[in-house]
Amino acid sequence: MCIGLEAISVHVPKHYLDSEDLAKANGVDPEKYRFGIGIRQISIPSPDEDSVTMAFEAARTAIQRYRIRREKIGMLIVGSETGVDAAKPIASFVHGLLGLPAACRTLDTKHACYSATAALKLARDWCAGTGKGRKALVIASDIARYEVGSPGEPTQGAGAVAMVVSDSPVLFRFDDFPEATYTRDVMDFWRPHYKSTAFVQGRLSIESYLSALEHTYRDYREQSGLSWRDFDHALFHVPFSKMALKGFERIFGIERERDPELDPENLTGYFERFTLPSLYGNIRMGNLYSGSLYLSLACLLERRGKAAVGERIGLFSYGSGCCGEYFSGTAGADAEQWKDRIGLQAGLSARKRITHREYLAFRTESEARIRNGSASSSLDRPDIFATNRPSFLGIADNQRLYCIPELGDELSVRQGEASRFRRTFAA
Ligand code: HMG
């Protein structure tokens, strides 16, 4: 049975910081961020956005635009490392806000940026087995945040990618090769429960990424019998776009062992052909953590349109800590199914550039809003209620409160607990 993606949609946060503004504020040569790291802009979540609202927005877009029948969704998994509660999964909030059927399995997966790949693989196996005929909604949603002025800061980002997995893989079909996975216990990147920013050992993280790539790519190559000549595209987990180039160099080196005719002088040309077309979104949104690889996939499909039909795509997923997996698939047969539905370009075009000062204010307000008792202060902000998007209002009585737009859209979003709060407070 062929299993794969029936839908993919991206949620792009409404604000971004230009890498040049960040470089100037940090006293760094802007060329370093732009070319040394490969970042032009980073998505900045506003204080009323969190991993729940972003996951909800991406999923709502996917369900609406691809006309997915909600009663068919029997599994919802959110891959994230920006959990909002130690016990209650993001998936549970999203399930309620979307009004999905009660007969649905909901859970979050966690292994840093690998989490959405773990979710996708679970969903694929479920669709091929006991979930037969039903659909799984998989969402990657994250906010990448490092200390102000730290080396990781220019690689920050935020956003969500929602994917519907089913036996109708009109967008992307998973290849059925044995798994090529790799795990090693390493402290390259981590975020303790008491921190909202990550710790990272930068150089170690890069080495660890490349080592996982090398192991899984060699394994994949051996098990599948394919080499890169069988591929049209090579996609990577993209913490910053220069990392994808480093990954590509590693694969190129492995291929050269068997094919000495590959000319290292042409490495850039190969990279531009195999990988660069997928990086447009990553360069403009920064690290989406769990969603980075799938942002690349969405970007590739959106930008290539009909030209992508039938093309084989290799994907490398990496999560610090660490776990890596190399796998592949083929773009679906009907580009009309994804044209205008992915939402990346439209989301990027609708964004607003903020100043460095505003970026710092957003951070402060976001920190304030995750404290118990913060919810009442957001009621002094009428602009929040004027937005047409879901909002994280803050915390009252140790519970997170969300406001969702008034009904009226075709999805007919169910009014949940959060909306009742909204009405109470607004009265
Ligand atoms: P850094 O120490 O500031 O940078 O941090 P650097 O000094 O190493 O310079 C970076 C590059 O810019 C170098 O190029 C410089 O030569 C170049 P490279 O040698 O790498 O090719 N450069 C310049 N280029 C042009 N003009 C200039 C200039 N100056 C320098 N004037 C680092 C870099 C990536 C370590 C930092 O940003 C960081 O810690 N980032 C976070 C960690 C990270 O993203 N690691 C990636 C692998 S781990 C991973 O992907 C998992 C992750 O997504 C988390 C998860 O799994 O959940 C992070």
Side-chain angles (χ1 to χ4, degrees), residues 29 31-32 35-37 81 112-113 146 151-152 154-155 188-189 200 202-203 205-206 209 237 239-240 242-243 246 287 289 318-320:
D29 179 359
E31 302 271 300
K32 174 175 176 180
F35 300 109
I37 288 176
E81 56 184 278
C113 303
Y146 298 89
T155 71
D188 61 331
F189 165 104
V200 61
R203 286 289 133 201
S205 75
I206 291 172
Y209 176 115
H237 165 57
F240 51 93
K242 181 75 159 294
M243 193 67 230
K246 290 178 193 291
N287 193 352
Y289 283 162
Y318 177 78
S320 283

Side-chain angles (χ1 to χ4, degrees), residues 22-36:
L22 182 62
K24 281 186 188 146
N26 286 347
V28 171
D29 179 359
E31 302 271 300
K32 174 175 176 180
Y33 289 173
R34 190 153 177 176
F35 300 109

